[in-house]
Amino acid sequence: MNQRYRKGDISCLSGQTVFFDANVLLYLFYPAYSKNTWVPEYSSILSALMRDKINIVVDFMVVSEFVNRILKESHIGECRRRKKSPKKYSYKLFRNSNLCMSQEKNIYAWIINDIFKVCSIHSQPITEADIKSILTARQLDFQDKLIEKVCRDNGFILCTNDTDFKNSNIDILSAHPQLS
């Protein structure tokens, strides 16, 4: 098992790089999550990382998951507002609506104006061999296996609240007690 870090350990991370998972980005940069109990914890972690000038990165997979999760939640919210089941107001219809396009503009603004101000983009090509190596039945979903691989390959510390990573052989920074 690799290192598990809490906010109090951040001063020891000088020279390290922290990879933010999508759930952390949602707590920090998606206003609808503002009432989530994890928001203060991860805001405090972000402040400490920035204070200590720790490099923070994300990649296209995480940005994609951030966008898609918000749009899926918006679709569900719109279904409730319209009192229609997702089968009667399909995601495809929602994706082509003015409401969705407006929401997308907001999301893109958060990414450009907020996320990219604190996170750099890490780009790593994923090969066929890489994909084959992660095609194993495990607790992690496909995207989480890719994130785990990127962190392992680059020596990144994963900042996440996802307890699926509890048995991962990578360094993790988390406020979640099951990940310490």
Side-chain angles (χ1 to χ4, degrees), residues 86-177:
K87 290 179 183 175
K88 293 196 177 184
Y89 183 59
S90 74
Y91 185 68
K92 191 73 106 175
L93 280 173
F94 172 73
R95 284 287 299 139
N96 293 322
S97 72
N98 288 335
L99 174 66
C100 184
M101 286 186 243
S102 172
Q103 183 67 16
E104 229 173 11
K105 284 180 187 173
N106 291 335
I107 297 167
Y108 295 164
W110 294 328
I111 292 167
I112 292 166
N113 299 323
D114 299 328
I115 294 174
F116 287 172
K117 284 197 173 149
V118 297
C119 300
S120 302
I121 291 291
H122 170 77
S123 184
Q124 175 175 327
I126 301 294
T127 66
E128 181 179 336
D130 292 332
I131 292 172
K132 285 179 178 177
S133 75
I134 66 169
L135 294 177
T136 58
R138 289 186 41 226
Q139 291 174 332
L140 296 176
D141 66 31
F142 185 80
Q143 185 151 330
D144 288 349
K145 289 177 196 174
L146 286 172
I147 289 170
E148 181 184 58
K149 179 178 180 7
V150 167
C151 289
R152 189 180 321 102
D153 288 355
N154 294 281
F156 294 159
I157 299 165
L158 176 62
C159 184
T160 187
N161 202 53
D162 185 347
T163 58
D164 288 348
F165 284 104
K166 69 181 170 216
N167 296 318
S168 290
N169 193 19
I170 56 173
D171 294 343
I172 294 175
L173 168 62
S174 183
H176 201 296

